[in-house]
């Protein structure tokens, strides 16, 4: 009987000891590989694969935040007209512009189209400048034209110029004999309102998707910089580096995150700049018309006031900040899984980095501490002569481009009715886009050309799943 | 022991009962297919409605030419009636704003708002001939429904035939021709012999790159229906209502806003039920019925109630946002409720049950 008591005490002691060991165990770091592959943006992911997938709000907003988001949504679709307008907040267009509303370039919050496509309005423009920098380290404006050609104007004013494009075609033959046609744009600047200064530089910018940029803005600086390797110290041939740019809102230098060359640090700067340069609308961040100093200004009957109040800029910014990322599809498909492995083995993953983390943001929980998969390191990379525009933007030189995020890629055709990729829309498919990679990505491009048809198709299935 | 057995048996029965699937599955599976919903939606709703819109735009163009050739008040009234009918045909298509109408920007080409009245006056003051190519080059805020509305109704809705200048008539004719061109393109883009977007949708899940699954196509149709319900409530009605600003009313020259809203919701309901021109075909409603009959009934009841409500206002929308605020507030709430029903009720059903 007594020995039985000792046995019970002994068993109890072992249980308590085991429990104690378990209780003292500290949680390890969560393995990124265990994340649900579908959740491209963690809790800011939405399960929508329709044409509205890029325009969905992130979950978790308060009622007040939803109202502000909806107001921004309305502004995103609002057409601007020539002042004076009887409608509050609708005036301010021009006198020169590229388009009349945000959603005319970012159709369905998605990407645009290159010149000479069948859409009614263009969703691409040409940046311009002279060699050298302005006082903030940015591009040097072309006298009389500024930093981009506005190819439309209000009645009574002349556009700065009109743009036309011709295409130069080449054929690439892959290792298995498959032929792929590539095309490269050659632009002509027609009917400039005044003679163009000599030596001007050009670089096309097709509009980018606007969803998910709140997450890109929220990715911690350390998460971005840990992938930077400006001198290629790890000798892998990839030397991503950050762009440090002028923040026109805060009047300071900041890490660039947004745009084809990461030349904008945050959404509010992007919004205010696009309103000003693309539509002609002034705000507190860009208080002067894009045509200031040009004769087109005489077509305006009102020029004194700032066109839209801060609240409008803030609502538009909040709208874009709170656009969710659509979930991936078919992640368990064996071809997609095989394609994912090829994405890694060919080296795509080195720049199109999959996992990033957003910073802790106690003021806005829905975007705080997310583990996200934009498939971008947000760094600049030399992409070779084929894509070079020979035009610098802050620290990005004429060969460098920011790695574009790939999330949502597979929904592009459904949502935007096309598969135009790269900064000028020259690529008409994933394959063409990959074949334009050069510079640091040359090795990866060569590996891609040597893939078997099956491996290549699996890689396409993976990209379509994003 | 016997007592324990009884308790065990009861608990086990309870467990088995509690595990029973709440979604009993299709009760008419033999007669239903997702493919039929998609194909019938295209063939009974999308294509016929775009054809009707194109035809109405054609009648309006013809009557505009007739008015231009001899401008009587009677002819102007006929033209206005055409505008209302064409507008109705357009508003009932806004529940499927996906595909070419969105990606080719055909929607803003005929329904941009607001009108750029400053530029319109400038254009009228020039001597440029309103050729088709010139009108096509004009900003979308200078043409389409609202530019035509502005010309034929006037700022206060009481314009007379005798008020028209020769230049305005020329512009009116060119605008109606442009509207016909754009609405014809909406139709032909779905036509199998031309743009053939029809094929993109009806072959969903059969190696189709745009809609690789039938689920994707069903989500597309349902989200588009949700989209217009949300837009009417959260934008078209709410914005002028919240700001007490009747100048933000969309069809303000014709005072047709309530009818616009009603036609939007009629279009959405009929798309949900796939009902057009006395023909009813396989629909999203049929899909929902299989899994949740009460949800389907609830949605249809709510559609009908909102349509009745929007038709019951005895004043213009511009007046109602000032003088009938509780009613407008209720309308907005009903639209929000319906939107939530579709979003939270139907979309999960599609995600759960459509696997092809």
């Amino acid at each position: 009987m007594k020995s039985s008591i000792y046995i019970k005490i002994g068993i109890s002691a072992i249980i308590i000891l085991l429990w104690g060991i378990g209780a003292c165990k500290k949680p390890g770091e969560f393995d990124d590989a265990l994340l649900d592959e579908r959740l491209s943006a963690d809790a800011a992911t939405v399960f929508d694969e329709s044409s509205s997938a890029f325009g969905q709000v992130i979950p978790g907003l308060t009622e007040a935040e939803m109202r502000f988001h909806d107001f921004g949504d309305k502004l995103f679709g609002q057409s601007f007209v020539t002042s004076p307008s009887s409608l509050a907040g609708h005036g301010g267009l021009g006198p020169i512009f590229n388009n009349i509303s945000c959603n005319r370039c970012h159709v369905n919050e998605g990407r645009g189209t290159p010149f000479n496509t069948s859409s009614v309005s263009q969703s691409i423009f040409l940046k311009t400048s002279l060699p050298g920098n302005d006082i903030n380290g940015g591009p040097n404006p072309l006298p009389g034209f500024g930093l981009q050609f506005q190819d439309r104007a209000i009645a009574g004013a002349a556009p700065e110029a009109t743009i036309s494009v011709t295409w130069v075609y080449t054929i690439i033959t892959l290792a298995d004999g498959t032929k792929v046609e590539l095309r490269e744009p050659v632009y002509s600047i027609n009917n400039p309102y005044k003679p163009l200064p000599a030596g001007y530089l050009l670089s096309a910018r097709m509009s980018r998707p606007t969803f998910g940029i709140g997450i890109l803005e929220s990715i911690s600086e350390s998460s971005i910089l840990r992938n930077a390797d400006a001198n290629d110290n790890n000798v892998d041939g990839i030397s991503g580096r950050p762009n440090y740019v002028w923040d026109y809102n805060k009047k300071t230098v900041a890490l660039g995150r947004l745009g084809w060359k990461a030349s904008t640090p945050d959404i509010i700067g992007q919004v205010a700049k696009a309103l000003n340069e693309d539509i002609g609308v002034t705000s507190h961040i860009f208080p002067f018309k894009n045509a200031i100093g040009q004769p087109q200004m005489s077509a305006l009957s009102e020029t004194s006031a700032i066109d839209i109040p801060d609240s409008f800029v803030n609502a538009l910014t909040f709208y874009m900040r709170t656009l969710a990322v659509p979930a991936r599809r078919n992640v368990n498909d064996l071809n997609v899984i095989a394609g994912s492995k090829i994405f890694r083995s060919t080296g795509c993953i080195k720049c199109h980095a999959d996992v990033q983390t957003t910073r802790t943001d106690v003021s806005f929980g829905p975007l705080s501490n997310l583990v996200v998969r934009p498939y971008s390191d947000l760094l600049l990379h030399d992409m070779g002569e084929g894509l070079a525009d020979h035009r610098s933007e802050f620290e990005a030189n004429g060969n460098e481009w920011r790695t574009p995020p790939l999330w949502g890629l597979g929904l592009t055709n459904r949502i935007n009715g096309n598969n135009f990729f790269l900064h000028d829309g020259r690529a008409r498919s994933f394959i063409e886009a990959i074949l334009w990679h050069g510079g640091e990505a040359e090795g990866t491009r060569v590996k891609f050309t040597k893939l078997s048809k099956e491996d290549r198709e699996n890689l396409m299935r993976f990209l379509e799943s994003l | 022991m016997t007592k324990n057995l009884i308790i065990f048996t009861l608990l086990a029965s309870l467990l088995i009962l509690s595990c029973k699937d709440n979604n009993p599955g299709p009760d008419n599976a033999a007669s239903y297919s997702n493919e039929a919903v998609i194909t019938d939606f295209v063939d009974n709703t999308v294509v016929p409605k775009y054809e009707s819109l194109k035809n109405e735009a054609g009648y309006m163009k013809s009557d505009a030419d007739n008015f231009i050739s001899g401008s009587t008040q009677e002819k102007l009234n006929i033209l206005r009636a055409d505008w209302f009918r064409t507008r109705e045909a357009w508003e009932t298509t806004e529940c499927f704003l996906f595909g070419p109408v969105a990606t080719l920007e055909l929607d803003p080409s005929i329904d941009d708002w607001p009108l750029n009245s400053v530029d319109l006056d400038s254009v009228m003051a020039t001597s440029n001939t309103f050729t088709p190519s010139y009108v096509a080059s004009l900003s979308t805020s200078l043409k389409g429904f609202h530019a035509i509305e502005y010309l034929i109704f006037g700022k206060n809705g009481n314009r007379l035939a005798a008020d028209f200048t020769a230049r305005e008539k020329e512009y009116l004719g060119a605008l109606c021709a442009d509207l016909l061109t754009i609405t014809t393109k909406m139709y032909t883009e779905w036509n199998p012999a031309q743009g053939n977007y029809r094929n993109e949708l009806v072959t969903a899940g059969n190696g189709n790159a745009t809609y690789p699954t039938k689920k994707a196509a069903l989500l597309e149709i349902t989200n588009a229906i949700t989209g217009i319900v949300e837009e009417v409530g959260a934008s078209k009605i709410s914005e002028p209502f919240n700001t007490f600003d009747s100048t933000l009313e969309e069809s303000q020259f014709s005072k047709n806003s309530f009818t616009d809203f009603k036609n939007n919701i009629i279009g959405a309901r009929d798309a949900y039920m796939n009902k057009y021109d006395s023909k009813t075909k396989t629909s999203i409603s049929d899909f929902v019925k299989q899994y949740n009959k009460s949800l389907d009934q609830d949605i249809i009841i709510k559609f009908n109630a909102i349509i009745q409500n929007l038709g019951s206002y005895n004043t213009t929308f511009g007046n109602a946002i000032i003088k009938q605020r509780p009613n407008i507030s209720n309308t907005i709430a009903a639209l929000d409720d319906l939107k939530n029903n579709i979003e939270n009720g139907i979309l999960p059903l599609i995600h759960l049950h459509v696997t092809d």
Side-chain angles (χ1 to χ4, degrees):
Chain A
M1 187 67 185
K2 200 172 180 181
S3 62
S4 156
I5 287 170
Y6 287 134
I7 289 168
K8 284 181 181 173
I9 289 171
I11 291 171
S12 300
I14 290 168
I15 289 171
I16 289 167
L17 187 65
L18 288 173
W19 177 81
I21 290 168
C24 288
K25 191 182 176 192
K26 290 181 180 171
E29 193 169 315
F30 185 77
D31 186 354
D32 292 339
L34 298 176
L35 287 169
D36 187 329
E37 290 273 350
R38 295 171 302 169
L39 302 179
S40 296
D42 204 328
T45 306
V46 288
F47 285 83
D48 184 2
E49 51 185 278
S50 73
S51 290
S52 54
F54 293 168
Q56 297 288 1
V57 63
I58 59 174
L61 299 192
T62 64
E63 190 177 341
E65 287 166 344
M66 269 310 301
R67 281 175 186 266
F68 203 40
H69 174 93
D70 286 343
F71 180 51
D73 187 1
K74 174 252 161 195
L75 294 172
F76 191 80
Q78 167 185 302
S79 292
F80 284 90
V81 296
T82 312
S83 290
S85 169
S86 58
L87 306 178
H90 285 71
L93 178 68
I96 52 176
F97 58 93
N98 296 107
N99 223 322
I100 62 173
S101 72
C102 305
N103 73 349
R104 299 298 289 279
C105 282
H106 305 279
V107 174
N108 288 333
E109 285 79 8
R111 68 185 68 234
T113 53
F115 290 105
N116 285 6
T117 44
S118 54
S119 55
V120 174
S121 60
Q122 306 292 351
S123 36
I124 186 171
F125 61 80
L126 287 186
K127 286 199 170 195
T128 188
S129 56
L130 286 176
N133 297 319
D134 72 358
I135 55 169
N136 296 316
N140 188 14
L142 185 66
F145 294 88
L147 290 171
Q148 76 187 52
F149 286 107
Q150 283 84 15
D151 56 358
R152 298 171 66 186
I154 63 169
E160 286 187 322
T162 56
I163 315 294
S164 59
V165 62
T166 54
W167 299 95
V168 176
Y169 295 90
T170 52
I171 300 289
I172 301 287
T173 305
L174 306 181
D176 69 351
T178 302
K179 293 187 185 308
V180 182
E181 182 190 72
L182 300 183
R183 61 173 193 171
E184 184 176 8
V186 178
Y187 297 109
S188 299
I189 312 298
N190 311 311
N191 311 310
Y193 81 98
K194 63 182 280 190
L196 286 160
Y200 63 87
L201 305 171
L202 290 179
S203 188
R205 291 290 185 277
M206 192 175 78
S207 50
R208 290 199 43 76
T210 53
F211 71 88
I213 62 173
I215 293 155
L216 301 184
E217 185 187 55
S218 300
I219 290 175
S220 63
E221 202 157 319
S222 60
S223 187
I224 296 172
L225 296 180
R226 82 171 172 215
N227 289 317
D229 184 19
N231 299 315
D232 192 17
N233 290 332
N234 62 1
V235 204
D236 66 348
I238 306 297
S239 56
R241 64 194 189 100
N243 196 1
Y244 285 98
V245 304
W246 184 249
D247 183 332
Y248 290 92
N249 186 31
K250 295 175 183 159
K251 309 284 188 283
T252 184
V253 172
L255 175 68
R257 296 161 182 269
L258 308 177
W260 287 101
K261 292 213 177 203
S263 57
T264 311
D266 54 19
I267 300 171
I268 193 167
Q270 184 81 30
V271 164
K273 192 160 85 175
L275 282 167
N276 189 244
E277 287 279 16
D278 304 352
I279 305 178
V281 170
T282 56
S283 63
H284 69 285
I285 300 174
F286 290 93
F288 302 110
K289 284 285 185 185
N290 56 12
I292 191 163
Q294 298 180 202
Q296 292 97 326
M297 289 292 286
S298 64
L300 293 175
S301 58
E302 279 187 0
T303 56
S304 55
I306 284 177
D307 293 317
I308 55 170
D310 294 2
S311 57
F312 279 36
V313 177
N314 292 336
L316 261 173
T317 301
F318 188 76
Y319 173 66
M320 284 196 261
R321 191 180 181 209
T322 48
L323 285 174
V325 177
R328 283 185 60 198
R329 286 110 16 241
N330 307 319
V331 294
N332 296 321
D333 182 294
L334 293 178
N335 297 106
V336 171
I337 292 169
S340 168
K341 289 176 181 164
I342 294 162
F343 189 80
R344 289 173 188 278
S345 64
T346 50
C348 307
I349 195 78
K350 288 181 182 173
C351 300
H352 291 286
D354 53 353
V355 178
Q356 304 260 25
T357 52
T358 63
R359 62 176 172 268
T360 302
D361 185 352
V362 292
S363 66
F364 193 61
L367 292 181
S368 181
N369 285 325
L370 303 180
V371 180
V372 298
R373 288 191 170 96
Y375 289 94
S376 168
D377 58 9
L378 299 183
L379 296 171
L380 300 170
H381 296 275
D382 181 338
M383 294 300 292
E385 189 58 29
L387 285 175
D389 64 355
H390 305 293
R391 179 179 181 274
S392 63
E393 283 193 48
F394 299 98
E395 295 187 16
N397 66 36
N399 277 40
E400 288 178 315
W401 299 93
R402 182 201 67 162
T403 310
L406 300 183
W407 50 20
L409 203 64
L411 293 172
T412 304
N413 190 39
R414 193 178 311 161
I415 293 178
N416 293 122
N418 65 62
N419 267 330
F420 295 122
F421 301 112
L422 300 176
H423 65 283
D424 50 15
R426 67 175 71 187
R428 295 159 291 181
S429 65
F430 298 155
I431 291 180
E432 286 185 41
I434 293 167
L435 290 174
W436 274 109
H437 284 53
E440 295 174 35
E442 177 64 16
T444 296
R445 188 191 69 82
V446 170
K447 284 181 188 168
F448 174 77
T449 63
K450 293 178 178 171
L451 290 176
S452 67
K453 186 167 185 281
E454 184 186 2
D455 285 349
R456 197 167 60 238
E457 286 179 352
N458 285 340
L459 179 61
M460 296 305 113
R461 296 295 85 73
F462 168 69
L463 295 175
E464 284 163 7
S465 78
L466 296 178
Chain B
M1 184 67 187
T2 309
K3 189 179 168 189
N4 285 345
L5 186 64
I6 291 168
I7 291 170
F8 174 78
T9 307
L10 283 172
L11 283 172
S13 305
L14 194 64
L15 187 67
I16 290 165
L17 283 173
S18 68
C19 288
K20 193 181 172 190
D21 191 354
N22 286 326
N23 294 311
D27 56 9
N28 60 342
S31 62
Y32 172 89
S33 79
N34 293 329
E35 195 166 348
V37 176
I38 298 162
T39 305
D40 285 2
F41 177 76
V42 174
D43 291 340
N44 193 52
T45 290
V46 178
V47 175
K49 283 197 169 188
Y50 278 137
E51 186 175 19
S52 168
L53 173 62
K54 166 186 75 83
N55 291 342
E56 294 295 348
Y59 302 139
M60 184 162 74
K61 161 77 173 65
S62 175
D63 286 334
D65 290 342
N66 198 21
F67 170 73
I68 292 162
S69 67
S71 306
T72 65
Q73 192 61 37
E74 186 187 359
K75 288 180 180 176
L76 180 60
N77 291 339
I78 290 169
L79 187 54
R80 286 176 177 169
D82 289 338
W83 186 91
F84 285 123
R85 275 197 301 275
T86 313
R87 184 76 182 159
E88 177 181 349
W90 163 244
E91 294 295 316
T92 58
T93 70
E94 285 198 301
C95 53
F96 42 89
L97 284 179
F98 59 83
V101 69
T103 59
L104 299 181
E105 299 178 67
L106 303 177
D107 170 4
S109 298
I110 65 166
D111 200 20
D112 201 358
W113 185 90
L115 192 64
N116 191 333
S117 51
V118 174
D119 276 16
L120 192 141
D121 289 344
S122 298
V123 167
M124 296 301 289
T126 68
S127 56
N128 295 335
T129 307
F130 290 115
T131 60
S133 61
Y134 175 62
V135 173
S137 74
L138 290 175
S139 171
T140 51
S141 55
L142 291 173
K143 52 192 180 182
F145 275 109
H146 297 298
I148 297 170
E149 181 195 15
Y150 176 74
L151 286 174
I152 64 177
F153 290 94
K155 264 184 188 167
N156 300 312
N158 55 0
R159 194 147 201 238
L160 300 174
D163 296 338
F164 278 75
T165 65
R167 180 97 178 127
E168 286 174 331
K169 288 181 202 171
E170 191 190 343
Y171 192 30
L172 175 64
L175 290 176
C176 290
D178 187 66
L179 192 97
L180 175 59
T181 302
I182 303 286
T183 52
T184 301
K185 189 166 177 60
M186 285 180 190
Y187 171 66
T188 55
E189 283 295 321
W190 283 79
N191 191 320
Q194 297 175 56
N196 202 10
Y197 199 80
R198 176 191 183 278
N199 192 57
E200 297 287 338
L201 215 62
V202 301
T203 61
N206 296 317
N208 170 339
T210 307
Y211 296 100
T213 60
K214 290 186 175 61
K215 182 170 92 171
L218 291 173
L219 287 171
E220 185 77 288
I221 295 167
T222 309
N223 267 315
I225 293 170
T226 318
I228 192 62
V229 173
E230 181 176 15
E231 190 185 339
V232 172
S235 181
K236 290 185 176 187
I237 296 179
S238 286
E239 196 195 337
F241 175 75
N242 290 337
T243 53
F244 294 81
D245 188 350
S246 61
T247 65
L248 297 175
E249 177 184 1
E250 201 173 313
S251 291
Q252 57 186 272
F253 308 126
S254 58
K255 314 293 182 202
N256 196 51
S257 296
F258 272 131
T259 308
D260 281 354
F261 307 150
K262 193 172 81 170
N263 287 329
N264 279 153
I265 304 303
I266 288 172
R269 179 199 61 189
D270 291 353
Y272 174 70
M273 301 173 76
N274 197 3
K275 191 169 72 170
Y276 180 68
D277 198 21
S278 77
K279 282 184 285 187
T280 301
K281 295 289 182 78
T282 323
S283 64
I284 298 288
S285 168
D286 292 326
F287 166 79
V288 175
K289 262 183 233 169
Q290 293 180 103
Y291 303 103
N292 193 335
K293 279 182 182 165
S294 65
L295 173 66
D296 175 62
Q297 286 167 357
D298 196 28
I299 286 172
I300 293 171
I301 288 168
K302 284 176 179 171
F303 265 126
N304 288 334
I306 291 168
I307 291 163
Q308 191 179 20
N309 170 268
L310 287 168
S312 68
Y313 284 91
N314 55 5
T315 185
T316 64
F317 177 62
N319 281 333
I321 60 168
I322 306 298
K323 295 178 180 171
Q324 298 187 24
R325 293 189 66 78
N327 293 347
I328 294 283
S329 185
N330 289 338
T331 303
I332 292 170
L335 285 159
D336 188 51
D337 182 44
L338 175 59
K339 184 209 82 168
N340 289 333
N341 258 67
I342 300 173
E343 258 183 10
N344 303 329
I346 302 179
L347 295 180
L349 287 180
I350 295 173
H351 279 292
L352 187 64
H353 295 291
V354 182
T355 53
D356 53 348

